[in-house]
Amino acid sequence: MRGTVERILVVIGLLSALAGVVLIWVAGAKYDRQLRDLRAVQEELATVQKRTGTYQRLVDNLVAYSRVQPNVDALLVPFGFKQPAQAPAQPQAAQGPAPQPTAAPQTGGRK
């Protein structure tokens, strides 16, 4: 009887060890797949960040160039890279004589 119990315990121990090895192998395979996916995403992110920096420098250069050449504003304003230019104020001479300030009304307050 004792020999039979020992054999059963040895078999159970071997099956447990085998199950542990299989679980570790499955976890390792899952880890490798996730690590491979992460590396692919990191490469895509690096590409996007590089392009974003390039595009930002391009927009900065266009905004700087638009200070010299205002015709470029037609491209920058619709995309929101620059605010529309305000209409220049008309000179006072073109508006006619300047209005004269009026005196403040008398309120009859104490002196």
Side-chain angles (χ1 to χ4, degrees), residues 42-62:
Q42 284 177 332
E43 290 173 5
E44 292 175 20
L45 178 63
T47 302
V48 168
Q49 288 175 335
K50 182 179 177 183
R51 287 182 182 170
T52 301
T54 301
Y55 296 149
Q56 185 61 48
R57 286 190 301 276
L58 176 64
V59 169
D60 292 343
N61 288 339
L62 278 172

Side-chain angles (χ1 to χ4, degrees), residues 7-64:
R7 286 183 190 161
I8 292 175
L9 289 177
V10 168
V11 170
I12 290 174
L14 288 174
L15 289 175
S16 297
L18 180 62
V21 169
V22 169
L23 286 175
I24 290 172
W25 178 72
V26 169
K30 184 178 179 182
Y31 175 78
D32 284 341
R33 186 178 61 247
Q34 288 177 339
L35 188 61
R36 196 171 36 250
D37 292 344
L38 177 64
R39 286 184 180 149
V41 169
Q42 284 177 332
E43 290 173 5
E44 292 175 20
L45 178 63
T47 302
V48 168
Q49 288 175 335
K50 182 179 177 183
R51 287 182 182 170
T52 301
T54 301
Y55 296 149
Q56 185 61 48
R57 286 190 301 276
L58 176 64
V59 169
D60 292 343
N61 288 339
L62 278 172
V63 169

